Amino acid sequence: MINRVNLSVVKLKKGFTLLEVMLAMAVFSIAGIAILGTAETNARNLGYLESKIVANWVASNQLVETTLDTSWPPKNNKKGKVELAGLEWFWQQKVIKTTDSDMRAIVMEVRLEENDPSALSSLMTYISKQSK
């Protein structure tokens, strides 16, 4: 019996140690937390972008309505509210004099809250006096 190996002495490694399993769980939990944080940020940004797009639609619609009005000069600091996409939007029109007396700049600001100091959307256009 030459070179007999006692199988009971040789131990074969099968599986992971407890330390390896805990380290793997820590790595996966950190990665999971990072992914959840990114998903939350993306969801929050998506809601903001949706509000911004709808506010731009409201401002654009109000500017079109103002350009169709034939009164000169346009009324300054005109305010109103409109419902779009299931929300109530508050808009304010500001008329700015230009160097040309036959032209005016109109800025349309849109907010979700009437007394919000910053506008969610602000669009500007120019209109000219109708020639008779």
Side-chain angles (χ1 to χ4, degrees):
M1 309 252 161
I2 306 170
N3 289 337
R4 272 196 181 220
V5 178
N6 188 354
L7 291 179
S8 63
V9 175
V10 177
K11 292 185 180 179
L12 300 175
K13 278 185 139 183
K14 291 183 181 179
F16 297 103
T17 66
L18 180 60
L19 184 61
E20 291 170 332
V21 170
M22 290 179 68
L23 182 62
M25 287 176 60
V27 168
F28 284 122
S29 66
I30 291 170
I33 290 170
I35 289 171
L36 284 176
T38 302
E40 177 191 2
T41 301
N42 285 343
R44 194 176 327 116
N45 287 341
L46 183 64
Y48 173 75
L49 289 175
E50 181 181 354
S51 296
K52 190 117 172 111
I53 288 171
V54 176
N56 279 332
W57 288 344
V58 170
S60 181
N61 289 345
Q62 293 305 315
L63 284 176
V64 167
E65 189 175 308
T66 301
T67 57
L68 293 175
D69 188 7
T70 57
S71 63
W72 186 260
K75 186 176 179 187
N76 194 14
N77 294 328
K78 189 175 172 184
K79 294 181 179 183
K81 62 183 174 180
V82 65
E83 185 178 333
L84 186 64
L87 294 172
E88 194 170 64
W89 301 90
F90 297 92
W91 56 267
Q92 181 178 8
Q93 169 182 303
K94 295 179 181 177
V95 178
I96 303 168
K97 289 185 179 181
T98 61
T99 56
D100 186 351
S101 62
D102 290 337
M103 286 191 82
R104 296 288 188 267
I106 299 178
V107 177
M108 191 65 64
E109 294 180 344
V110 179
R111 295 169 172 78
L112 267 172
E113 300 293 328
E114 189 171 12
N115 298 326
D116 195 358
S118 61
L120 192 57
S121 174
S122 179
L123 295 181
M124 178 187 242
T125 192
Y126 292 91
I127 61 169
S128 63
K129 186 186 264 187
Q130 299 282 334
S131 59
K132 294 181 181 182

